[in-house]
Amino acid sequence: MKKQVRTVTEGAMMLAIIGVVLYLNRMSGQALMGFLVFILPLPSIFYIAKYGPRQGLILSFVILLFPILIGDFIAMFYTGTAVAVGLVYGYGVYKDKDNGWLVITATIVSAISFYFEIYLLQSFVGADFIGELRLILEQFLIMANEAGLKGIPDNFMTLTLSLVPMMALIMSFGQAFVTHIAALILLQRLKIKTRKMRPLTEWVIPTKYAIFLAIGIFANLGVQYTTNETLQILFNNVYFVSSLAFCIDAYIFVLFVARVSGKKLFVLLAILVLFLPPFGISIGLFDSFTDLRKRVLYNYAKPLR
């Protein structure tokens, strides 16, 4: 009896928190929407991880009613995504799935939601993401022509817009990863069993994957040496993914150096890595194919944590 009362009480608390947050977001003109995608899944994750998927389904159904009750149609998409992420993630925690499974499934759910928002949401509420991006690119091309910049391909607009699906997938992974970190912190504080993550200092691209990514770096040359637009789009996406992977690896490596050396200057260098892709790619390649990280660790004689 006490367990049932506790289940209902905690469920009501979760609903109250979500209801207040959605109402504040509605009153602020969607100003909190950028944070809601990370916050909204957490109550469902906690509740499902503790009481199981069956109880979680009831809570999730009620959560979906909130946007209808407050008349916020746009929030229905974000709330639906949060509920879906909470269900799959909470189920994974309840079944003791590994961290990779949790992040991948949350990424898939978030990616499906992103594609709906990008390509279908405009049909309902007029939020034309592709149209707005197209206008920005058109303004950029006008400014580039006025400045006399050369070397911009004639199909620059098409090549850039072709990156939108891949960017949506990468943003979905980032969203899932942030939610994963927040969920781990929350669940650990609430003493719910979770699996430990590998230390950030051990995150490096495995050599077998780094080989394919290194080949992908040269895909950018294929864009210049072919007139087939389909191949250009393919090469452009391959280069984008490969370069981004090495830049992220370089970012982690520089933060690792900053940690073991204690020099804050490397933190600024880590930010620079993200804004200078050639620089980041170079560091990422060295880190992936050499023992550079071990040498740094040896020089400062500090163990990995």
Side-chain angles (χ1 to χ4, degrees):
M1 182 65 179
K2 290 183 178 180
K3 184 177 180 180
Q4 292 178 345
V5 172
R6 187 177 182 85
T7 302
V8 174
T9 303
E10 292 186 351
M13 290 175 59
M14 298 298 102
L15 291 173
I17 293 172
I18 293 174
V20 170
V21 171
L22 287 175
Y23 182 76
L24 291 176
N25 178 68
R26 170 69 169 171
M27 293 297 100
S28 62
Q30 312 296 334
L32 303 178
M33 192 58 69
F35 300 97
L36 292 186
V37 293
F38 307 110
I39 298 173
L40 281 180
L42 297 180
S44 296
I45 290 173
F46 157 72
Y47 196 78
I48 296 170
K50 187 171 183 179
Y51 296 111
R54 289 186 179 180
Q55 296 291 342
L57 283 173
I58 300 174
L59 179 72
S60 300
F61 175 75
V62 178
I63 291 174
L64 288 174
L65 296 178
F66 274 114
I68 300 175
L69 294 175
I70 63 177
D72 192 349
F73 183 80
I74 297 178
M76 287 183 62
F77 288 88
Y78 300 97
T79 305
T81 302
V83 166
V85 171
L87 282 172
V88 297
Y89 192 101
Y91 171 81
V93 175
Y94 186 77
K95 294 296 184 179
D96 195 27
K97 300 288 186 180
D98 60 73
N99 290 318
W101 189 95
L102 296 175
V103 174
I104 290 174
T105 52
T107 298
I108 293 173
V109 172
S110 298
I112 293 172
S113 171
F114 262 120
Y115 293 139
F116 269 99
E117 293 166 19
I118 292 173
Y119 297 106
L120 296 180
L121 188 59
Q122 56 181 322
S123 302
F124 294 97
V125 295
D128 190 357
F129 173 80
I130 300 296
E132 292 176 1
L133 180 58
R134 190 183 297 275
L135 290 175
I136 293 173
L137 294 175
E138 288 176 353
Q139 291 298 319
F140 170 77
L141 290 174
I142 292 173
M143 294 173 61
N145 290 331
E146 292 177 350
L149 294 179
K150 297 182 179 180
I152 300 177
D154 296 334
N155 59 346
F156 170 79
M157 181 81 70
T158 302
L159 293 177
T160 305
L161 291 176
S162 71
L163 294 175
V164 170
M166 187 59 67
M167 291 174 64
L169 182 61
I170 293 171
M171 290 173 62
S172 300
F173 174 78
Q175 178 179 320
F177 185 76
V178 172
T179 301
H180 177 62
I181 298 297
L184 286 182
I185 295 173
L186 172 68
L187 294 174
Q188 287 173 1
R189 286 187 174 274
L190 296 174
K191 297 181 180 180
I192 295 176
K193 182 182 178 182
T194 58
R195 295 198 182 192
K196 291 185 178 180
M197 290 182 59
R198 291 174 58 190
L200 185 65
T201 50
E202 296 181 10
W203 288 28
V204 62
I205 302 175
T207 304
K208 59 182 179 180
Y209 298 124
I211 293 174
F212 291 103
L213 292 173
I215 296 173
I217 293 296
F218 296 97
N220 196 37
L221 299 176
V223 177
Q224 304 174 17
Y225 290 101
T226 181
T227 57
N228 187 307
E229 193 169 74
T230 302
L231 288 177
Q232 288 181 333
I233 291 174
L234 176 62
F235 289 145
N236 196 38
N237 277 268
V238 170
Y239 171 76
F240 175 74
V241 173
S242 300
S243 59
L244 183 63
F246 283 122
C247 284
I248 293 175
D249 182 275
Y251 179 78
I252 294 174
F253 171 75
V254 175
L255 287 181
F256 162 72
V257 176
R259 178 183 176 184
V260 298
S261 66
K263 297 179 180 179
K264 297 182 179 180
L265 179 63
F266 284 104
V267 177
L268 297 176
L269 185 61
I271 299 175
L272 190 63
V273 162
L274 298 179
F275 288 95
L276 293 176
F279 182 55
I281 291 171
S282 301
I283 295 178
L285 284 168
F286 272 104
D287 185 40
S288 300
F289 291 104
T290 67
D291 60 346
L292 184 61
R293 194 173 299 204
K294 291 182 179 179
R295 288 179 179 273
V296 171
L297 186 65
Y298 176 78
N299 287 337
Y300 288 98
K302 289 186 178 181
L304 289 172
R305 294 180 182 178

